[in-house]
Amino acid sequence: MEFVLLGLLALALPVMAIVAFILVLAHGGRLNKIENQLRELQQRLGTEPLTPRPPMTPAQTAATARPAVVREMPAADAPPVSAAATETPPPAQPVSPQPHPAAPAPRQARPPRPPVPPRPQSDVSFEERFGTRWVVWVGGLALALGGIFLVRYSIEAGLIGPAARIFLGALFAAALVAAGEWQRRKEGNAKAAAFAAANIPAILTAAGTAVAYATVYAAYALYGFLVPANAFILLGVVALGTLAAALLHGPMLAGLGLIGAYVAPMLVSTAAPNYWALYIYLAIVTAAAFALARIRLWRWLAIAAVAFGVFWMLPGIGFAAYVAPHIFHGVAGFALAGALIVSGLLYGPSAQPGKVDAISSASIAAYVFALALLVLARNHEDAALYAFAVLCALTLLVAWQAESALGAVPLAAIMASGVIALWSVQLSFSPGFVTQGVSGVGDANEMPKALYGSHLWLGGTLALLFGGLGFVAQTRTRSTLQAVLWAAGAVIAPVAILAALYYRIAHFQLSYQFAAVAMALAALYAFATEVLGKREQPGASSAAAAFATGSIVSLALGLTFALEKGWLTVALALMTAGIAWVADKRNFPFLRWLAVGACILVAARVAWDPRIAGSDLGTTPVFNWLLWGYGVPALAYWAAGWLLRKRADDFPARMADSLAILFTVLFFSLQIRHYINGGDLYRYTAPLAELALNVCVGLGMAIGLERLRMVTKSIVHDLGAQIIAAFTLIGIVVGLLFVDNPYFTGDSVGTGRFFNLVLLGYLLPAILAGALAITYQRTRNETFRNVAAITSIVLALAYLTLQVRALFQGPALSGPAMSDAEGYTYSAVWLTFAVLLLLIGIVRQSKAVRLASAAVMLLTIAKVFMIDMAGLTGVWRAFSFIGLGAVLVGIGLLYQRLLFPKKPISPAQTES
């Protein structure tokens, strides 16, 4: 295949010369035109210096007035006009003014006639469209099909042989191209397009190039006249010729040439591919396409060429013997894009000051992406890795020289971080990349060829380049977007590369070296934040916010590197509070949303492993890993919500408040489970005790949130209080009263006579529910107050009942049938409780409490008459009824004397 390479090199030289000539012609033509215009101005003005003359008198103006000779501006390629032909005659002698009806004003040379704008589409009639466009397009298609059908007929009729067919096809293609060129020269540049008519020369030339493609391919694939190398060269010549012709015929032909040039290698198959020949050819095609796009300012052509260039990186990307040609392809494409596509750099288009151009940024970022794919496909081979690092560094250099390409900086930072991160998790691409896709490398022995050394120093170098240049460039930014893009690259690359290297080298173990690097990085970012915060140039505050974010993230990483177990969760939670603190000190809106991201990270981490530190939580109550894994984040979120709410009660503040409530609930719930089950969160041993403690916590949090929401007016605190109260009520009704009720389950309530699970499960919740009802008097409506009060009374009655049962039956409440003394005690205790409720209702003037007292009283009456009358015997039955009667009479007296006293009788009523 050496002759193929030599042939391509021979082809490359003239094509490169053509491209260079086109560029020189484009710039040189402008210079010649300017020189001709200056020469004509000098000829018109003579040799007099261009200095202002004194104003002329009216007499002189009238005397010197004469019809001016109208001259058209000579074309750029017109022969220079002789000085004698344009010599200015001597000024006329002043004469006395003569009466004249209207002296004509001096005429000036007319400017070049502007082109006639095309008429709107609505003004073009059907006949015009049909006669000037449709018939031409159909005619071009008919010409191409006619050539194909003619060849087919000649084959079917056996008129001509294969060689003649190929010759006639080539001749027909040349005839169409020649006809297109003849038609173009005939029309000339003087034609004024009154409407958008079809371009007949371009269509003829396009039909000719299509026939030329078909002819070359038929000679290779159908008849075997051409070996693969020659077919490849001829197809490339046709494609490049089509691109060159597009300079004269317009974008349609450019698109055809571009597609043909990049598709041509697919049409030629060979058992021994020569990637050097392929990529040299593609470099020539890319140079031609970029040059044409630059001259004609066709952005679509540049985008298409870049897309094709990245696509051609994929074939053979994983084959062991072909890394150098792929590197050449990526580097050559990057260099050509930087030289011809990036605005404001070398031969690129003119750049608008302060504008970041998407095409300029994406064109060089695309080739960096192509090299990143090569690194992954080659399993991080040294040569590919070094080439990728060089392109990342060159991206920074290009962005430094041309601000239009600044959008490529954060993209390159992300790709550099991604390459190091994929190496750290041992993820690579299989050799059959195009068909097999991604494959994981799970065996620790299957290490990439480039080990710690290359990635360590290359990653560190790239981190320093992105970070340092991103900070230094802040002194020359002219817009907020530029400042943010530089700052984004300066934060993303160092932080992500540091985390990836730590994961691969330290494997989540303690590493004080990495911790020191992270702390130093946090200090540098803090310094950058302070410096930029004092500047008043555009984008300084936004860049300062980005560097502040980097400082906080680096600090969190340092804590993670230096601490054990689940400290990552703790560090991320503390980072949230730190972000909120910075957002409070500096009004950077971006930081508030960064706090949201940190909140989501912590929530995801907890959802992945609720134990935070695995199974080794420790057995010490309270002071175990749950205290750090849930308690510290809960405090951090409470602080973050308070700080964020100082500026606005928006989504970030509400997210922090929501997680603060959630982590507080989880902290108490998991601590209770840890304590009850001896440190094992997945064991279930004492349901009543655990449920009772959770109910107490729920009622306490509901009280706290009710008081807090009256201060903050936060909807999160309002909804949180209602949700926690609702779930607590469900736990009381379903759990304490029925499912886990020791009377039904038979579970032991403890050996203590009064300090037992009955007190914990019913008396404490009753007191807290009563406190919640009192709190609702200032925060909620009557419905909430009544529900809380009824819940408190029901729990208190349940406590009294179960406590009496425990006094008579012992720890197991589901013992033998109750005795007469036990039955009487129930009645006495309930009556006492009813009287106590009545007194409380009278003192607090609460009708709801008095009604609850009446309900307990009715329950006691029903019990005495329905149960005691039949169940009790002897003196206990008498005591039951005597006690009930005495209490009822006493209650009547209370109602008569205190609640509904008789009104005094007036004297008039007495007399009557």
Coordinates of all heavy atoms in Angstrom, one line a residue, residues 688-764:
L688 N -44.2 -2.7 71.2 CA -44.9 -1.6 72.0 C -44.0 -0.5 72.5 O -44.3 0.7 72.4 CB -45.6 -2.3 73.2 CG -46.3 -1.3 74.2 CD1 -47.4 -0.6 73.4 CD2 -46.8 -2.0 75.4
A689 N -42.8 -0.9 73.0 CA -41.9 0.1 73.4 C -41.4 1.0 72.3 O -41.3 2.3 72.4 CB -40.7 -0.5 74.1
E690 N -41.1 0.4 71.2 CA -40.6 1.2 70.0 C -41.7 2.1 69.5 O -41.5 3.3 69.2 CB -40.1 0.3 68.9 CG -39.5 1.0 67.7 CD -39.0 0.0 66.7 OE1 -38.9 -1.2 66.9 OE2 -38.7 0.5 65.6
L691 N -42.9 1.6 69.4 CA -44.0 2.4 68.9 C -44.3 3.5 69.9 O -44.6 4.7 69.4 CB -45.3 1.5 68.7 CG -46.5 2.2 68.2 CD1 -46.3 2.9 66.9 CD2 -47.7 1.3 68.1
A692 N -44.3 3.2 71.2 CA -44.6 4.3 72.2 C -43.6 5.4 72.1 O -44.0 6.6 72.1 CB -44.6 3.6 73.5
L693 N -42.3 5.1 71.9 CA -41.3 6.1 71.8 C -41.5 6.9 70.6 O -41.3 8.1 70.6 CB -39.9 5.5 71.9 CG -39.5 4.9 73.3 CD1 -38.2 4.2 73.2 CD2 -39.4 6.1 74.3
N694 N -41.8 6.3 69.5 CA -42.0 7.0 68.2 C -43.2 7.9 68.3 O -43.2 9.0 67.7 CB -42.2 6.0 67.1 CG -40.8 5.4 66.6 OD1 -39.9 6.2 66.2 ND2 -40.7 4.1 66.5
V695 N -44.3 7.5 69.0 CA -45.4 8.3 69.2 C -45.1 9.5 70.0 O -45.5 10.7 69.6 CB -46.6 7.5 69.8 CG1 -47.7 8.4 70.3 CG2 -47.1 6.5 68.8
C696 N -44.3 9.3 71.0 CA -43.9 10.5 71.8 C -43.1 11.5 71.0 O -43.2 12.7 71.1 CB -43.1 10.0 73.0 SG -44.1 9.1 74.3
V697 N -42.1 10.9 70.2 CA -41.3 11.8 69.4 C -42.2 12.5 68.3 O -42.0 13.7 68.1 CB -40.2 11.0 68.6 CG1 -39.6 11.8 67.6 CG2 -39.2 10.5 69.6
G698 N -43.2 11.8 67.7 CA -44.0 12.5 66.8 C -44.9 13.6 67.4 O -45.0 14.7 66.8
L699 N -45.4 13.3 68.6 CA -46.2 14.4 69.2 C -45.3 15.6 69.6 O -45.7 16.7 69.5 CB -46.9 13.8 70.4 CG -48.0 12.8 70.2 CD1 -48.5 12.2 71.5 CD2 -49.2 13.5 69.5
G700 N -44.1 15.3 70.1 CA -43.2 16.4 70.4 C -42.8 17.2 69.2 O -42.7 18.4 69.3
M701 N -42.5 16.5 68.1 CA -42.1 17.3 66.9 C -43.3 18.1 66.4 O -43.1 19.2 65.8 CB -41.6 16.3 65.8 CG -40.3 15.8 66.1 SD -39.5 15.1 64.6 CE -39.4 16.5 63.5
A702 N -44.5 17.5 66.5 CA -45.7 18.3 66.0 C -45.9 19.6 66.8 O -46.2 20.6 66.3 CB -46.9 17.4 66.1
I703 N -45.6 19.5 68.2 CA -45.7 20.6 69.0 C -44.7 21.7 68.6 O -44.9 22.9 68.5 CB -45.6 20.2 70.5 CG1 -46.8 19.4 70.9 CG2 -45.5 21.5 71.4 CD1 -46.6 18.8 72.3
G704 N -43.4 21.2 68.4 CA -42.3 22.1 68.1 C -42.6 22.8 66.7 O -42.3 24.0 66.6
L705 N -43.0 22.0 65.7 CA -43.2 22.6 64.4 C -44.4 23.6 64.4 O -44.4 24.6 63.7 CB -43.5 21.5 63.4 CG -42.3 20.6 63.0 CD1 -42.7 19.5 62.1 CD2 -41.2 21.5 62.3
E706 N -45.4 23.3 65.2 CA -46.5 24.2 65.4 C -46.1 25.6 65.9 O -46.5 26.6 65.4 CB -47.6 23.7 66.3 CG -48.4 22.6 65.6 CD -49.3 23.1 64.5 OE1 -49.6 24.3 64.5 OE2 -49.6 22.3 63.6
R707 N -45.2 25.5 66.9 CA -44.7 26.8 67.4 C -43.7 27.5 66.4 O -43.7 28.7 66.3 CB -44.0 26.5 68.8 CG -44.9 26.0 69.9 CD -44.2 25.8 71.2 NE -45.1 25.4 72.2 CZ -45.7 26.2 73.0 NH1 -45.7 27.6 72.8 NH2 -46.5 25.8 74.0
L708 N -42.9 26.6 65.7 CA -42.0 27.2 64.8 C -42.7 27.9 63.6 O -42.2 28.9 63.1 CB -41.0 26.1 64.3 CG -39.9 26.5 63.3 CD1 -39.0 27.5 64.0 CD2 -39.2 25.3 62.8
R709 N -43.7 27.2 63.1 CA -44.4 27.8 61.9 C -45.0 29.1 62.2 O -45.2 29.9 61.3 CB -45.4 26.8 61.3 CG -46.7 26.8 62.1 CD -47.7 25.8 61.4 NE -49.0 25.9 62.0 CZ -50.0 26.8 61.6 NH1 -49.7 27.6 60.6 NH2 -51.1 26.8 62.2
M710 N -45.4 29.4 63.5 CA -46.0 30.7 63.8 C -44.9 31.8 63.7 O -45.3 33.0 63.5 CB -46.6 30.7 65.2 CG -47.7 29.7 65.4 SD -49.1 30.0 64.2 CE -49.6 31.6 64.7
V711 N -43.6 31.4 63.8 CA -42.6 32.4 63.6 C -42.1 32.5 62.2 O -41.9 33.6 61.7 CB -41.4 32.0 64.6 CG1 -40.2 33.0 64.4 CG2 -41.8 31.9 66.0
T712 N -41.9 31.4 61.5 CA -41.3 31.4 60.2 C -42.3 31.6 59.1 O -42.0 32.1 58.0 CB -40.6 30.1 59.9 OG1 -41.5 29.0 60.0 CG2 -39.5 29.8 60.9
K713 N -43.6 31.3 59.4 CA -44.7 31.3 58.3 C -44.3 30.5 57.1 O -44.8 30.7 56.0 CB -44.9 32.8 57.9 CG -45.1 33.8 59.0 CD -46.4 33.4 59.8 CE -46.6 34.5 60.9 NZ -47.8 34.1 61.8
S714 N -43.6 29.4 57.3 CA -43.1 28.6 56.2 C -44.1 27.5 56.0 O -44.7 26.8 56.9 CB -41.8 27.9 56.6 OG -41.4 27.0 55.6
I715 N -44.4 27.3 54.7 CA -45.4 26.3 54.3 C -44.8 24.9 54.6 O -45.5 23.9 54.8 CB -45.7 26.4 52.8 CG1 -46.9 25.5 52.5 CG2 -44.5 26.2 51.9 CD1 -47.4 25.6 51.0
V716 N -43.5 24.7 54.6 CA -42.9 23.4 54.9 C -43.1 23.1 56.3 O -43.4 21.9 56.6 CB -41.4 23.5 54.5 CG1 -40.7 22.2 55.0 CG2 -41.1 23.7 53.0
H717 N -42.9 24.0 57.2 CA -43.2 23.7 58.6 C -44.6 23.5 58.9 O -45.0 22.6 59.7 CB -42.7 24.9 59.5 CG -41.2 25.1 59.4 ND1 -40.6 26.3 59.6 CD2 -40.2 24.3 59.1 CE1 -39.3 26.2 59.5 NE2 -39.0 25.0 59.1
D718 N -45.5 24.1 58.2 CA -46.9 23.9 58.3 C -47.3 22.5 57.9 O -47.9 21.7 58.6 CB -47.7 25.0 57.5 CG -49.2 24.9 57.7 OD1 -49.6 24.1 58.5 OD2 -49.9 25.6 56.9
L719 N -46.9 22.1 56.6 CA -47.2 20.8 56.1 C -46.5 19.7 57.0 O -47.1 18.6 57.2 CB -46.8 20.7 54.7 CG -47.7 21.6 53.7 CD1 -47.1 21.4 52.3 CD2 -49.1 21.2 53.7
G720 N -45.3 20.0 57.4 CA -44.6 19.0 58.2 C -45.3 18.7 59.5 O -45.4 17.5 59.9
A721 N -45.8 19.8 60.1 CA -46.5 19.6 61.4 C -47.8 18.7 61.2 O -48.1 17.8 62.0 CB -46.9 20.9 62.0
Q722 N -48.5 19.0 60.1 CA -49.7 18.2 59.8 C -49.4 16.8 59.5 O -50.1 15.9 59.9 CB -50.5 18.9 58.7 CG -51.0 20.3 59.0 CD -51.8 20.9 57.9 OE1 -52.8 20.3 57.4 NE2 -51.5 22.1 57.4
I723 N -48.4 16.6 58.7 CA -48.1 15.2 58.2 C -47.6 14.4 59.4 O -48.1 13.2 59.6 CB -47.0 15.2 57.1 CG1 -47.6 15.8 55.9 CG2 -46.5 13.8 56.9 CD1 -46.6 16.1 54.8
I724 N -46.7 14.9 60.2 CA -46.2 14.2 61.4 C -47.4 13.9 62.4 O -47.5 12.8 62.9 CB -45.1 15.0 62.1 CG1 -43.9 15.0 61.2 CG2 -44.8 14.4 63.4 CD1 -42.7 15.8 61.7
A725 N -48.3 14.9 62.6 CA -49.4 14.7 63.5 C -50.3 13.6 62.9 O -50.9 12.8 63.7 CB -50.1 16.0 63.7
A726 N -50.5 13.6 61.6 CA -51.4 12.6 61.1 C -50.9 11.2 61.2 O -51.6 10.2 61.6 CB -51.7 12.9 59.6
F727 N -49.6 11.0 60.9 CA -49.0 9.7 61.1 C -48.9 9.2 62.5 O -49.1 8.1 62.8 CB -47.6 9.7 60.5 CG -47.5 9.5 59.0 CD1 -47.3 10.5 58.1 CD2 -47.7 8.2 58.5 CE1 -47.3 10.3 56.8 CE2 -47.7 8.0 57.1 CZ -47.5 9.1 56.2
T728 N -48.7 10.2 63.4 CA -48.7 9.9 64.8 C -50.1 9.4 65.3 O -50.3 8.5 66.1 CB -48.3 11.1 65.7 OG1 -47.0 11.5 65.2 CG2 -48.2 10.7 67.1
L729 N -51.2 10.1 64.8 CA -52.5 9.7 65.2 C -52.8 8.3 64.7 O -53.5 7.5 65.4 CB -53.5 10.7 64.6 CG -55.0 10.4 64.8 CD1 -55.3 10.4 66.3 CD2 -55.9 11.4 64.1
I730 N -52.3 8.0 63.5 CA -52.5 6.6 62.9 C -51.8 5.6 63.8 O -52.3 4.5 64.1 CB -52.0 6.5 61.5 CG1 -52.9 7.4 60.6 CG2 -52.0 5.1 61.0 CD1 -52.4 7.5 59.1
G731 N -50.6 5.9 64.3 CA -49.9 5.0 65.1 C -50.6 4.8 66.5 O -50.6 3.7 67.0
I732 N -51.2 5.9 67.0 CA -51.9 5.7 68.3 C -53.2 4.9 68.1 O -53.4 3.9 68.9 CB -52.3 7.2 68.8 CG1 -51.1 7.9 69.2 CG2 -53.3 7.0 69.9 CD1 -51.4 9.4 69.5
V733 N -54.0 5.2 67.1 CA -55.3 4.4 66.9 C -55.0 3.0 66.5 O -55.6 2.1 67.1 CB -56.1 5.2 65.9 CG1 -57.4 4.4 65.6 CG2 -56.5 6.6 66.4
V734 N -54.2 2.8 65.5 CA -54.0 1.4 65.0 C -53.0 0.6 65.9 O -53.3 -0.5 66.2 CB -53.5 1.5 63.5 CG1 -53.2 0.1 63.0 CG2 -54.5 2.2 62.7
G735 N -51.9 1.3 66.3 CA -50.9 0.6 67.0 C -51.2 0.4 68.5 O -51.3 -0.7 69.0
L736 N -51.2 1.6 69.2 CA -51.3 1.5 70.6 C -52.7 1.0 71.1 O -52.7 0.2 72.1 CB -51.1 2.9 71.2 CG -49.7 3.5 71.1 CD1 -49.7 4.9 71.7 CD2 -48.7 2.6 71.7
L737 N -53.8 1.3 70.5 CA -55.1 0.9 71.0 C -55.5 -0.5 70.5 O -56.3 -1.1 71.2 CB -56.1 1.9 70.5 CG -56.0 3.3 71.1 CD1 -57.1 4.2 70.6 CD2 -55.9 3.3 72.6
F738 N -54.9 -1.0 69.4 CA -55.3 -2.3 68.9 C -54.2 -3.2 68.6 O -54.0 -4.2 69.3 CB -56.2 -2.1 67.6 CG -57.5 -1.4 67.8 CD1 -57.6 0.0 67.6 CD2 -58.5 -2.1 68.4 CE1 -58.8 0.6 67.8 CE2 -59.8 -1.4 68.6 CZ -59.9 -0.1 68.3
V739 N -53.4 -3.0 67.6 CA -52.4 -4.0 67.1 C -51.4 -4.3 68.2 O -51.1 -5.5 68.5 CB -51.7 -3.5 65.9 CG1 -50.6 -4.4 65.4 CG2 -52.7 -3.3 64.8
D740 N -50.8 -3.3 68.9 CA -49.7 -3.5 69.9 C -50.3 -3.4 71.3 O -49.5 -3.2 72.2 CB -48.6 -2.6 69.6 CG -47.8 -2.9 68.4 OD1 -47.8 -4.1 68.0 OD2 -47.3 -2.0 67.7
N741 N -51.5 -3.3 71.5 CA -52.1 -3.2 72.8 C -51.8 -4.5 73.7 O -52.1 -5.6 73.2 CB -53.6 -3.1 72.7 CG -54.3 -2.7 74.1 OD1 -53.9 -3.1 75.1 ND2 -55.3 -1.8 74.0
P742 N -51.1 -4.3 74.8 CA -50.6 -5.5 75.5 C -51.8 -6.4 76.1 O -51.6 -7.5 76.4 CB -49.8 -4.9 76.7 CG -50.3 -3.5 76.8 CD -50.7 -3.1 75.5
Y743 N -53.0 -5.8 76.2 CA -54.1 -6.6 76.6 C -54.5 -7.6 75.6 O -54.9 -8.7 75.9 CB -55.3 -5.7 76.9 CG -56.5 -6.4 77.4 CD1 -56.7 -6.8 78.7 CD2 -57.6 -6.7 76.5 CE1 -57.8 -7.5 79.2 CE2 -58.7 -7.4 77.0 CZ -58.8 -7.8 78.3 OH -59.9 -8.5 78.7
F744 N -54.3 -7.2 74.2 CA -54.6 -8.2 73.2 C -53.4 -9.1 72.8 O -53.6 -10.2 72.5 CB -55.1 -7.4 71.9 CG -56.3 -6.6 72.1 CD1 -56.3 -5.2 71.9 CD2 -57.4 -7.1 72.6 CE1 -57.4 -4.4 72.1 CE2 -58.6 -6.4 72.8 CZ -58.6 -5.0 72.6
T745 N -52.2 -8.5 72.9 CA -51.0 -9.3 72.5 C -50.5 -10.2 73.6 O -49.9 -11.2 73.3 CB -49.9 -8.4 72.0 OG1 -49.5 -7.6 73.2 CG2 -50.3 -7.5 70.9
G746 N -50.8 -9.9 74.8 CA -50.3 -10.7 75.9 C -48.8 -10.4 76.2 O -48.2 -11.1 77.1
D747 N -48.2 -9.4 75.6 CA -46.8 -9.1 75.9 C -46.6 -8.5 77.3 O -47.5 -7.8 77.8 CB -46.3 -8.1 74.8 CG -46.3 -8.7 73.4 OD1 -46.2 -10.0 73.3 OD2 -46.3 -7.9 72.4
S748 N -45.5 -8.7 77.8 CA -45.2 -8.2 79.2 C -45.0 -6.7 79.1 O -44.4 -6.2 78.2 CB -43.9 -8.9 79.7 OG -43.6 -8.3 81.0
V749 N -45.5 -6.0 80.1 CA -45.4 -4.6 80.2 C -44.3 -4.2 81.2 O -44.1 -3.0 81.5 CB -46.7 -3.9 80.7 CG1 -47.7 -4.1 79.6 CG2 -47.2 -4.5 82.0
G750 N -43.5 -5.2 81.7 CA -42.5 -4.9 82.7 C -42.9 -5.2 84.1 O -44.1 -5.4 84.4
T751 N -41.9 -5.4 85.0 CA -42.1 -5.8 86.4 C -42.4 -4.6 87.3 O -42.9 -4.8 88.4 CB -40.9 -6.5 86.9 OG1 -39.7 -5.7 86.8 CG2 -40.7 -7.8 86.1
G752 N -42.2 -3.4 86.8 CA -42.5 -2.3 87.7 C -44.0 -2.1 87.9 O -44.8 -2.3 87.0
R753 N -44.4 -1.7 89.1 CA -45.8 -1.6 89.4 C -46.4 -0.3 88.7 O -47.5 -0.4 88.2 CB -46.0 -1.5 90.9 CG -45.7 -2.8 91.6 CD -46.0 -2.7 93.1 NE -47.4 -2.5 93.4 CZ -48.3 -3.5 93.4 NH1 -47.9 -4.8 93.2 NH2 -49.6 -3.3 93.7
F754 N -45.6 0.7 88.7 CA -46.1 2.0 88.0 C -45.2 2.4 86.9 O -45.7 3.0 85.9 CB -46.2 3.1 89.1 CG -47.3 2.8 90.1 CD1 -47.0 2.4 91.4 CD2 -48.6 3.1 89.8 CE1 -47.9 2.1 92.3 CE2 -49.6 2.8 90.7 CZ -49.3 2.3 92.0
F755 N -43.9 2.2 87.0 CA -43.0 2.6 85.9 C -42.8 1.4 85.0 O -41.9 0.6 85.2 CB -41.6 3.0 86.5 CG -41.7 4.3 87.3 CD1 -41.9 4.2 88.7 CD2 -41.7 5.5 86.7 CE1 -42.0 5.4 89.5 CE2 -41.9 6.7 87.5 CZ -42.0 6.6 88.9
N756 N -43.6 1.3 84.0 CA -43.6 0.2 83.1 C -44.0 0.7 81.7 O -44.1 1.9 81.5 CB -44.6 -0.9 83.6 CG -45.9 -0.3 84.0 OD1 -46.4 0.7 83.3 ND2 -46.6 -0.8 85.0
L757 N -44.2 -0.3 80.8 CA -44.5 0.1 79.4 C -45.9 0.8 79.3 O -46.2 1.5 78.3 CB -44.4 -1.1 78.5 CG -43.0 -1.7 78.2 CD1 -43.1 -2.8 77.3 CD2 -42.2 -0.6 77.6
V758 N -46.8 0.5 80.3 CA -48.1 1.2 80.2 C -47.9 2.7 80.4 O -48.6 3.5 79.7 CB -49.0 0.6 81.3 CG1 -50.3 1.4 81.3 CG2 -49.2 -0.9 81.1
L759 N -47.1 3.1 81.3 CA -46.8 4.5 81.5 C -46.2 5.1 80.2 O -46.5 6.2 79.8 CB -45.9 4.7 82.7 CG -45.6 6.2 83.1 CD1 -45.5 6.3 84.6 CD2 -44.2 6.6 82.5
L760 N -45.2 4.4 79.7 CA -44.5 4.9 78.5 C -45.4 4.9 77.3 O -45.4 5.9 76.5 CB -43.3 4.0 78.2 CG -42.5 4.3 76.9 CD1 -41.8 5.7 77.0 CD2 -41.4 3.3 76.6
G761 N -46.2 3.9 77.1 CA -47.0 3.8 75.9 C -48.3 4.6 75.9 O -48.9 4.9 74.8
Y762 N -48.8 5.0 77.1 CA -50.1 5.6 77.1 C -50.2 6.9 77.9 O -50.8 7.9 77.5 CB -51.2 4.6 77.7 CG -51.3 3.4 76.8 CD1 -50.5 2.3 77.0 CD2 -52.2 3.4 75.8 CE1 -50.6 1.2 76.2 CE2 -52.3 2.3 74.9 CZ -51.5 1.2 75.1 OH -51.6 0.1 74.3
L763 N -49.5 6.9 79.1 CA -49.6 8.2 79.9 C -48.8 9.3 79.3 O -49.3 10.4 79.1 CB -49.1 7.9 81.3 CG -49.2 9.1 82.3 CD1 -50.6 9.7 82.4 CD2 -48.6 8.8 83.7
L764 N -47.6 9.0 78.9 CA -46.7 10.1 78.3 C -47.4 10.6 76.9 O -47.4 11.8 76.7 CB -45.3 9.6 78.0 CG -44.5 9.4 79.3 CD1 -43.1 8.9 78.9 CD2 -44.4 10.7 80.1

